[in-house]
Amino acid sequence: MSDEIVPRQPQSPVYETDTPVRYETDGPVAWITMDRPQFNNAQNSQMTYALDAAFGRATDDDAIKVIVLAGEGRHFSAGHDIGTPGRDHLVPFDRKLMFGDHTTRPAAELLYTREHEVYLGMCRRWRDIPKPTIAMVQGACIAGGLTLAWVCDLIVASEDAFFQDPVNRMGIPGVEYFAHGFELPPRVAKEFLLLGERLPAARAYQFGMVNRMVPREELRAETAKMAHELAQRPRLGNWLTKQAFNHVEDLRGKRTAMDAVFHMHHFAHAQNDLTSGNSLGGLDGKAMASANKKAAGEG
């Protein structure tokens, strides 16, 4: 039967680090830093669960008033890990949400189950953190990297930062946490997805997707200044303000739109499997990076 539990598929990722996320504090501010610079902070499950643990730690610590999410190295995040030695999409982890073990699910159910937890579910969990969150973005913020920035309340970007969701190359209608139409005007969002071109920080700032834009050498100082200012505000006031705006977004249909597009996303994965034998349409991180650099005139 198609709904039978199946044996796990063997996978042995090679992790370059045991600590893909670094946690530090500066007074009332927690700094959560993705620390896979060798792979431009590509997000595998190891990193996702480490991020969740770090966000949980900051949430549980009453001394922490504000949380900053950052990425070590040249780039904030190259997105979901689809090609490093540490890719671990077939590895079981201790789950944080109420979904089953994806590694024992057959066919399209495997990715559908996994991404409900590690991408859509985790992002919604982090969006609801009662403390203000700030994404500090430099360099590339691509595909899955967008979801990490978008769940934060504020985004401070370096002048050389850019944002991109190129997954239409794979026949997929955007990343799982589909906030595109809420972060950008509709036609700009369509252009962003259909063409998959880089959106420079300056243009993102014009549309209000980025709150502040500064030279890279001033990025940390500007982010820290904002975080410490927020830390002086009343704790409950910060939480209620977050809830108010999240409620407005959801009244505008953000959650229901995300649910609908999540299913379109997985229909696309299933179509790719049927037509090419690969849920990503035969593309991996190297192929996507090469196409993106060529489109940007970098090679």
Side-chain angles (χ1 to χ4, degrees):
M1 302 231 352
S2 62
D3 63 349
E4 287 183 351
I5 299 301
V6 299
R8 287 177 177 163
Q9 302 178 42
Q11 188 180 36
S12 300
V14 179
Y15 295 132
E16 78 283 359
T17 177
D18 292 328
T19 54
V21 171
R22 197 167 69 246
Y23 186 93
E24 300 160 303
T25 61
D26 176 17
V29 180
W31 289 78
I32 296 173
T33 305
M34 296 177 283
D35 199 8
R36 297 187 73 201
Q38 178 182 350
F39 299 111
N40 297 323
N41 299 316
Q43 183 190 354
N44 56 7
S45 288
Q46 181 202 34
M47 175 181 282
T48 304
Y49 285 94
L51 282 171
D52 190 71
F55 280 126
R57 179 178 176 183
T59 299
D60 289 343
D61 186 347
D62 286 338
I64 296 301
K65 308 299 183 184
V66 181
I67 303 167
V68 175
L69 176 63
E72 184 63 40
R74 293 178 57 208
H75 300 293
F76 176 75
S77 176
H80 296 152
D81 189 339
I82 58 173
T84 83
R87 189 183 185 205
D88 54 5
H89 64 299
L90 299 179
V91 175
F93 283 79
D94 291 335
R95 296 173 299 283
K96 303 302 179 183
L97 304 171
M98 294 295 179
F99 299 104
D101 179 1
H102 70 282
T103 65
T104 64
R105 299 312 194 253
E109 188 181 358
L110 186 153
L111 278 183
Y112 180 75
T113 304
R114 176 179 185 259
E115 294 188 358
H116 255 304
E117 161 118 341
V118 298
Y119 297 149
L120 183 60
M122 289 286 196
C123 286
R124 284 175 168 171
R125 178 177 166 96
W126 302 335
R127 175 185 181 239
D128 290 338
I129 291 171
K131 302 177 182 184
T133 54
I134 305 171
M136 185 179 77
V137 177
Q138 81 283 2
C141 180
I142 299 175
L146 292 170
T147 71
L148 299 175
W150 283 347
V151 298
C152 293
D153 302 303
L154 303 171
I155 298 177
V156 181
S158 63
E159 292 174 340
D160 65 349
F162 67 87
F163 303 84
Q164 186 178 22
D165 191 355
V167 299
N168 189 39
R169 292 182 184 277
M170 301 172 173
I172 296 173
V175 289
E176 297 83 354
Y177 186 82
F178 191 86
H180 307 61
F182 293 85
E183 297 286 347
L184 295 166
R187 283 193 177 83
V188 177
K190 286 181 181 179
E191 173 193 357
F192 184 65
L193 266 178
L194 288 170
L195 295 178
E197 296 173 343
R198 296 178 179 183
L199 180 71
R203 194 170 186 222
Y205 178 75
Q206 289 177 335
F207 292 124
M209 194 180 96
V210 165
N211 296 96
R212 296 184 186 175
M213 183 181 65
V214 295
R216 185 182 281 231
E217 60 270 20
E218 300 174 17
L219 182 60
R220 186 176 178 94
E222 181 65 25
T223 305
K225 178 182 176 182
M226 179 186 284
H228 282 277
E229 179 64 28
L230 280 170
Q232 302 307 309
R233 301 288 192 270
R235 177 183 63 251
L236 181 58
N238 280 340
W239 184 17
L240 292 175
T241 300
K242 283 192 63 162
Q243 288 187 75
F245 280 102
N246 287 353
H247 183 59
V248 168
E249 286 188 318
D250 289 340
L251 285 174
R252 290 174 56 210
K254 186 173 187 177
R255 187 178 182 91
T256 54
M258 214 170 272
D259 285 338
V261 179
F262 184 78
H263 289 88
M264 297 177 201
H265 180 101
H266 280 277
F267 174 68
H269 276 315
Q271 174 74 356
N272 282 341
D273 267 325
L274 288 169
T275 58
S276 70
N278 180 279
S279 62
L280 302 179
L283 298 174
D284 59 14
K286 185 176 181 179
M288 290 291 285
S290 177
N292 291 341
K293 288 179 180 179
K294 184 176 180 180
E298 295 181 356

